[in-house]
Amino acid sequence: MGWFIKIFGSSLGKKLLMSLTGLFLISFLTVHLIGNLSVFSQDGGLAFNAYAKFMSTNPLISTVSYLLYASIILHVIVAIVLTSANKSARPVKYKQLNAKDNSSWESRSMALLGILVLAFILLHLKDFWWQYKFGGSYQFSEDANGNRDIYALVIQQFSTTFGLASYLIGLLALFFHLKHGFQSAFQTLGINHNKYTPAIKNIGLAYSIIVPLCFASMPVYVYFFK
Amino acid sequence: MEKVRNYTLKIWRQPNAQSKGEFKTYEVKNISTGSSFLEMLDILNEEISEAGEDPVHFDHDCREGICGMCSLFINGRPHGPEEEITVCQLHMRTFPNNTTITIEPWRAKAFPVIKDLIVDRSAFDRIIQSGGFVSVNTGSVPDGNAIPIPKQNADLAMDAAACIGCGACVAACKNASAMLFVSAKVSQLALLPQGQVERKKRALAMVDQMDKEGFGSCTNTGACEAECPKGIDLSNIARMNREYFTASLTS
Ligand code: HEM
Ligand code: SF4
Ligand code: FES
């Protein structure tokens, strides 16, 4: 047990946690996106409502969702610990700093981007997950198949300018977070080789563009075409 | 191109570790474009000394890019604007005539300022002392090729061993992280047969000491690699992570 505590007490062990939880969140995003795309099926929301029901009742998904909540919490806690330790490693700042010549903006702004993504996740949970699971102020009706009509709630949320704008800002932050984070997670795991690192970087860039773009397409579609 | 140039220098002056420190502005005139950055500072110090004041203190030794002593943060970057060189290899022709040049010390909790532009880098020595060596008795010089080493590993080990311990990686990193330095030292021995006996112990001890010294952790920004005068690359950090994780799990 001592060795276990020692690993995660070290700087490298904490980075290992960031990387593993980050990669798990990436895999979750992929699954979440594929399911959400059913919002485009032209059936008045039947497919989307069925998908929402499946996600909240399937025992396997429920189990994985607890792992997901734990990952987000762990990712955020370790992010806070690391960021504050990193800040205190340089108590006196440079008066003139030219960091843009040696590193990318997003790589230096992971904490800021993370806070924006966290705000986005919390807003998202409040808008949909909380209403659906714990029954907030919103009164659900039932669709033709007898499923609760969360599709109607989605349409309502994304029809407001605030709903649209807050989503687009959150997804922009996610794009930058992943642009650096995806490839960074592999480097942290020690996976770096001329043979495949260029491929990891390209896949990471593609992922960071495609996934937020697909997520963004839904509120944009609802706002302008529904 | 003009043969001589004039500059305004904004230099960090700090009498000792306890005092606060501040920028002082100096004018230097008729500096040859062929002189090195340190020679320019020598000329400034001559003038300051002649005026009976305390010259600007800065670290230097070999003045040919091999000892790692020179350590100036020039115009917002360690070792100045050029790639893969140390301050002593930097020439004044790099800086346009009649411009202002800002000079600061390396800034990190683990590198406290001793005086002016000189910082205490003994944290690096303590990291080396914690495991950056081979303690087996090596005896006399072995016959050539008595210890077979794959060419690729020999090259990688040599690349890692090029690190001169200057600390520019720490100075450049937004987290003041020493990962590039430590990973170069872990790598150069992990890649060679002589380093195998203490391989796991070394990775654990050096990372442990690095954390104790108060360096930050790695966000993989790559600033260290971009500023390193010896071209040490990020694959060394990945190797150190592998070494550390495997050593943690298997020792
Ligand atoms: C869907 C959500 C998220 C995903 C997919 C994600 C993914 C990642 C990945 C892959 C990394 C790189 C790990 C590494 O360098 O080894 C990372 C780093 C980071 N994340 Fe996240 N993240 C998410 C949300 C958040 C949140 C909510 C925060 C915090 C408030 C956050 C803060 C950070 C920070 C500060 C880093 C950099 C840590 C460091 O290297 O020093 N992230 N993230
Ligand atoms: S890794 Fe490069 S920048 Fe860091 S101490 Fe070694 S030579 Fe200097
Ligand atoms: S003085 Fe030796 S490397 Fe610059």
Side-chain angles (χ1 to χ4, degrees), chain A residues 6-7 10-12 15 82 86 88-90 92-96 98 101-102 107 180 184 187-188 190 192, chain B residues 23 73 76 102 104 107 109 170-171 173 175 211 217-221 223 227 234 238 241-242 244 248:
Chain A
K6 197 166 157 46
I7 294 192
S10 74
S11 55
L12 290 192
K15 278 302 311 226
L82 278 176
N86 290 343
S88 67
R90 173 163 297 133
V92 183
K93 303 272 168 282
Y94 291 108
K95 302 298 172 290
Q96 188 182 343
N98 221 341
D101 284 350
N102 58 34
S107 75
H180 177 68
S184 171
Q187 163 78 5
T188 300
N192 180 326
Chain B
F23 278 109
F73 206 79
T102 310
E104 292 179 74
R107 297 216 184 266
K109 186 166 82 187
V170 175
C173 176
N175 306 334
D211 287 348
S217 65
C218 180
T219 304
N220 301 323
T221 68
E227 300 294 8
L234 290 183
N241 293 4
R242 293 199 295 274
Y244 182 80
S248 295

Side-chain angles (χ1 to χ4, degrees), chain A residues 6-119:
Chain A
K6 197 166 157 46
I7 294 192
F8 296 114
S10 74
S11 55
L12 290 192
K14 291 194 198 88
K15 278 302 311 226
L16 181 63
L17 285 177
M18 281 315 276
S19 166
L20 294 177
T21 51
L23 286 174
F24 184 68
L25 293 177
I26 284 175
S27 69
F28 151 75
L29 276 184
T30 318
V31 177
H32 192 39
L33 175 67
I34 294 170
N36 280 15
L37 288 173
S38 61
V39 91
F40 289 114
S41 64
Q42 302 295 329
D43 57 4
L46 291 180
F48 188 78
N49 292 338
Y51 152 71
K53 175 157 186 215
F54 172 76
M55 290 307 265
S56 62
T57 51
N58 182 293
L60 183 67
I61 303 276
S62 309
T63 319
V64 175
S65 72
Y66 285 108
L67 206 59
L68 175 69
Y69 306 142
S71 283
I72 295 182
I73 293 169
L74 199 60
H75 191 82
V76 171
I77 291 175
V78 182
I80 294 169
V81 173
L82 278 176
T83 306
S84 63
N86 290 343
K87 286 244 181 300
S88 67
R90 173 163 297 133
V92 183
K93 303 272 168 282
Y94 291 108
K95 302 298 172 290
Q96 188 182 343
L97 184 62
N98 221 341
K100 64 174 189 330
D101 284 350
N102 58 34
S103 51
S104 69
W105 173 80
E106 60 274 14
S107 75
R108 286 178 272 119
S109 314
M110 288 300 274
L112 170 72
L113 295 166
I115 290 169
L116 289 174
V117 173
L118 181 65

Side-chain angles (χ1 to χ4, degrees), chain B residues 6 33 40 44 49 66 89 111 120 126 150 159 170 172 174 178 192 199 218 223 226 228-229 242:
Chain B
N6 304 331
T33 49
M40 183 275 293
L44 170 71
S49 301
I66 56 171
Q89 297 169 299
F111 286 167
D120 180 357
R126 289 188 292 274
D159 289 348
V170 175
K174 78 175 182 68
L192 296 178
R199 185 170 175 175
C218 180
C228 173
R242 293 199 295 274

